[in-house]
Each structure stands twice: as C-alpha cells, then as structure tokens.
Amino acid sequence: MSNHFPNRFTAQFDANNQEFSLSGVLRPHSVAELADDLALLRTGIETVNGICYINLKRVTHMNNTAFRALTHVLLDATRSRPDLKLTVVASSVVTWASRLFRHLSDLSPNITVDIYDSAFYPGQTFVENQSFIPILRTQTKMTWRHEREMLPRHGLREGMNIADICCGIGDFAMLLRKDFKPARIVALDHSIPSLDYARKVAEDFDVQDIEYTYGDASQMLFESDQFDFVTCRHSLQIFDRPDVLLRELYRICKPGGRVYITNEKNSHCLGEPRAESIQWTYTEVAKLFAHFDMDVEMGPKGRRMLLDAGFTDVRMESFMVTNLDGDPQDFADIITAWQNVYADEMAIRRGDAPEFIEKFKQGFADHIFAALHPRGYAGWPIWATSGQKPL
C-alpha cells in the first residue's frame, strides 16, 4: 500500500516486514495534508504484533508540523497498544533527524529510536584507522595507471555526470576530475575521517568542483536516474549485503549509463621468492574477512553480480598491481599497512592465538621481501567490472 503527495513525499506500509516508511520532503502547511498517510500508519499499527518499524531513512526534510503529527500518532499507539513496540529508524546522515527523533524514546518506554549508521559496513572501523588513510593514496596511485587505460573501455568519456560512491579519501574522484573532465562529479562516503581528509586535500589543491557528500551508500538520498557513470571501488567486498548497495548504484544511474565496480581476490595475492608463505597468509586473509562478513574474494564474481542486478552489456577485465608499477617501496608500504590492520587489529579482535598471528605476520613480511628483492615479484590482483542500466 502507498500514498503519494505529488513531488514531495511517499508513504508506504509493508505488512510482511511490519514497516511503515516515509521518503522525500515532508513540509505540510497543515496536518490535513498528511491525513491519508497518518491513516495508513494507524491502520498498519492495528494489524501488526510484536514490533512495528517506522523507517525514516529516506526522509530528507521534515518540518515541525509533520514531526508533531507523526509523534502524536506514535504516542497514541503506545497507549492503545501497550503490547506493541515501535522502532523508529532514522539516518545519521540527516543530522536534524537524529536530533529530533532521539528524544522520542524519552516519551515512551515502548518507543525505540535507532539512529542508523549502516549495518552494511562491518569493516568500516578497520578502514577508518588513521594510519591506514594515507596509504590509500598510494594504493590508488598504483591502480590508476591500469584503470586510467581501462575506464574508456567501460564507457567513461569527458563531460559526463559522475558519482563516485564509497569514495574514501577522495583521491580517485580527484583523478577522474583531472583526466576525464566531468560536467559534474559527486563523491559520497559514510566515513567522516575519510571525507575530512578528502576535503582538506581538495582545499590544498584549490579544487572546488567535487561535491564531497556524507551519505549512506545503501540508502542514498540522491534522486533516481541522474548519473551517466557511477563508480564504486573496493567497497562491495566490505558489505555483508552487496546486493543492497548494487540496487542503489543501479537506481541512481541513468538508463543507458554504466556502473563500474572493482573488487579483489586476496587469496590470489602472490610473491616470489617465499611464495608458499605468502600464499598461505593471503588465503588466511580471505578467511579473516569472511569472519567479519566481508568477501575479499569477490573480484571474479562481479560479472554474475551485475547480471543478477539487472545490468546488461557487462564488461569484465582483471589486472595485477605489482612492485614493478612504480617504486617497489610504495608496494611494500601498502603491505605494511595491510599487516597493521589485518594482523594487529582484525586477527586480535577475532581472538586468534599468538602463534597463528606470528605465522600470519610472517607472510606479510615475506611479501614485503619479495616486493623489495632486486629479482623479486609481488602482485595484488583486482577485477574491474561494469554494466549498463537498460534503456
């Protein structure tokens, strides 16, 4: 069931999930404008048992008239249905929502307020490590020499409207801006430290035309069908429900536009000499990420995932970032950062034994040895996949 006030907001009630959801802009001049939607909520509340969810994650604006009217219905429901629990889900992306709705739980013990910080980012606390952020620039520098040549084969041209979703520290958006001269470029991420870093770099370089945006990639506030080219690099692999993010990438892409993703297959990281130790460690890296509901083996799965999500003309290619792509020390620095996060944080949080962690670290040390050895070779494989949204 749904009710729509033209060009402003949508209200829906999903009986299967016991969820009432609002999206868009709620700025009624009077409560009368919300009458049908509030009636939908009241009817829904009468039909459910246990918990009823009030989903406000996609509400971009709400005035006091709407807030008071909604609050009145919820408080009435707690009195008429004392057996019922109401869970209001608001987004931390919209600061006013957090401020307004956080106090609802003070009005009734039956109302719970969940300020949504995206349960789809199980690895966020790891990648936000302050020591890890600078090394991301080195990673992008080493992948860019490959991606710069590949992106035109995936449909990127000058003058497009581009969205870089899960943009991290913004370095990829900077490179896109410099080499592909987009008409518009929006870079969105849910990590405040990463965005702060991105904005500082943009300020230092006097770059003013990248729209760095704080947002939840699984519940974006962008309108549908507005970007010609959407990128999402090394991010689906750290979501425990990548299909949710893919649906959002599909939604914001224009019909005929393309979505471009990159992901890894960590167990295929390699090095020579000391190949056996290196292979063992990166196989264990994949298992470690799986423990935290992340899939760093996702790279080769990209084609199937895009086809399953409804994309057509899916193109896939892979490349190997190596110690021969530039200064071998850069690659060694990247491996060191991986070790610091994977062995010194993630493995410890998983509860691994000291003997395991010691062996785990040895593989990273051997990979560094291979990267810096004058006759050595060290590689990190990445898959790039893109698909077109049907016209």
Side-chain angles (χ1 to χ4, degrees):
M1 299 177 65
S2 67
N3 185 43
H4 184 62
F5 193 85
N7 302 318
R8 295 184 64 187
F9 67 89
T10 301
Q12 296 182 328
F13 184 78
D14 180 345
N16 289 333
N17 292 319
Q18 299 196 161
E19 179 183 73
F20 175 79
S21 59
L22 287 167
S23 61
V25 178
L26 279 86
R27 287 177 171 163
H29 296 294
S30 70
V31 177
E33 293 178 35
L34 300 175
D36 291 344
D37 308 285
L38 297 177
L40 181 65
L41 174 57
R42 289 190 185 95
T43 301
I45 287 173
E46 291 171 2
T47 62
V48 302
N49 294 300
I51 300 177
C52 182
Y53 295 94
I54 316 299
N55 183 342
L56 306 175
K57 289 184 287 188
R58 286 184 182 271
V59 175
T60 55
H61 297 285
M62 177 182 289
N63 66 10
N64 283 330
T65 300
F67 175 71
R68 286 195 301 269
L70 181 61
T71 300
H72 183 72
V73 172
L74 297 181
L75 291 175
D76 280 352
T78 62
R79 288 188 283 266
S80 63
R81 292 284 310 277
D83 58 307
L84 188 66
K85 303 294 185 184
L86 299 174
T87 297
V88 177
V89 187
S91 174
S92 65
V93 171
V94 187
T95 54
W96 60 264
S98 302
R99 187 176 65 252
L100 279 177
F101 288 100
R102 196 181 296 277
H103 299 297
L104 269 183
S105 55
D106 297 333
L107 302 177
S108 169
N110 283 14
I111 298 178
T112 302
V113 180
D114 178 9
I115 303 301
Y116 182 76
D117 249 344
S118 187
F120 303 127
Y121 301 158
Q124 183 173 322
T125 56
F126 300 121
V127 299
E128 283 187 358
N129 179 298
Q130 293 293 325
S131 65
F132 197 59
I133 285 178
I135 210 69
L136 295 174
R137 291 184 67 83
T138 304
Q139 287 190 178
T140 302
K141 180 173 73 173
M142 297 190 77
T143 62
W144 181 248
R145 68 181 296 270
H146 299 274
E147 293 185 84
R148 172 66 184 82
E149 300 302 317
M150 289 168 43
L151 282 161
R153 298 197 292 271
H154 288 263
L156 184 58
R157 304 184 306 276
E158 290 189 4
M160 286 183 159
N161 291 331
I162 299 175
D164 184 26
I165 306 304
C166 304
C167 69
I169 61 171
D171 48 345
F172 188 71
M174 293 279 277
L175 292 166
L176 288 173
R177 172 190 176 274
K178 177 177 178 290
D179 284 8
F180 290 94
K181 300 174 176 59
R184 180 192 180 200
I185 182 163
V186 176
L188 177 142
D189 203 272
H190 194 258
S191 165
I192 293 174
S194 295
L195 283 175
D196 286 345
Y197 187 98
R199 289 173 177 138
K200 178 64 167 61
V201 171
E203 181 182 346
D204 290 347
F205 293 174
D206 195 26
V207 171
Q208 300 175 12
D209 53 353
I210 298 177
E211 301 171 39
Y212 287 113
T213 304
Y214 176 57
D216 177 356
S218 65
Q219 292 280 341
M220 287 185 278
L221 301 178
F222 298 136
E223 293 181 6
S224 301
D225 306 328
Q226 66 166 301
F227 295 104
D228 302 298
F229 200 83
V230 179
T231 65
C232 186
R233 301 167 62 260
H234 304 288
S235 297
L236 286 166
Q237 62 191 28
I238 64 167
F239 280 69
D240 64 349
R241 291 183 57 195
D243 56 309
V244 173
L245 177 50
L246 269 177
R247 283 199 295 271
E248 280 291 271
L249 301 178
Y250 184 97
R251 182 184 66 80
I252 67 172
C253 185
K254 289 180 181 177
R258 296 188 70 84
V259 167
Y260 168 90
I261 62 173
T262 64
N263 293 288
E264 304 164 41
K265 186 173 177 68
N266 257 249
S267 65
H268 283 199
C269 284
L270 51 84
E272 181 64 43
R274 305 182 181 177
E276 195 172 296
S277 167
I278 294 166
Q279 183 177 10
W280 180 87
T281 282
Y282 284 99
T283 298
E284 292 300 321
V285 167
K287 295 176 184 176
L288 176 63
F289 272 78
H291 174 81
F292 291 101
D293 296 322
M294 295 179 275
D295 182 7
V296 290
E297 299 288 274
M298 186 175 287
K301 304 173 187 177
R303 184 172 185 272
R304 172 178 55 80
M305 293 172 65
L306 288 182
L307 289 169
D308 288 349
F311 292 94
T312 59
D313 186 25
V314 174
R315 305 169 190 174
M316 171 182 271
E317 50 190 309
S318 62
F319 59 95
M320 183 77 76
V321 177
T322 80
N323 59 326
L324 309 179
D325 285 338
D327 184 350
Q329 186 61 53
D330 283 345
F331 201 161
D333 290 344
I334 289 171
I335 299 166
T336 300
W338 291 345
Q339 176 186 305
N340 291 342
V341 175
Y342 305 163
D344 292 336
E345 292 186 36
M346 295 175 68
I348 289 171
R349 189 178 299 187
R350 184 172 63 173
D352 291 339
E355 314 85 70
F356 173 88
I357 292 176
E358 183 178 354
K359 184 179 180 182
F360 195 37
K361 286 184 175 182
Q362 186 59 51
F364 293 113
D366 290 338
H367 205 201
I368 292 169
F369 180 83
L372 297 178
H373 193 285
R375 295 187 297 277
Y377 181 84
W380 168 36
I382 297 170
W383 275 256
T385 314
S386 71
Q388 183 180 56
K389 182 174 178 176
L391 289 165

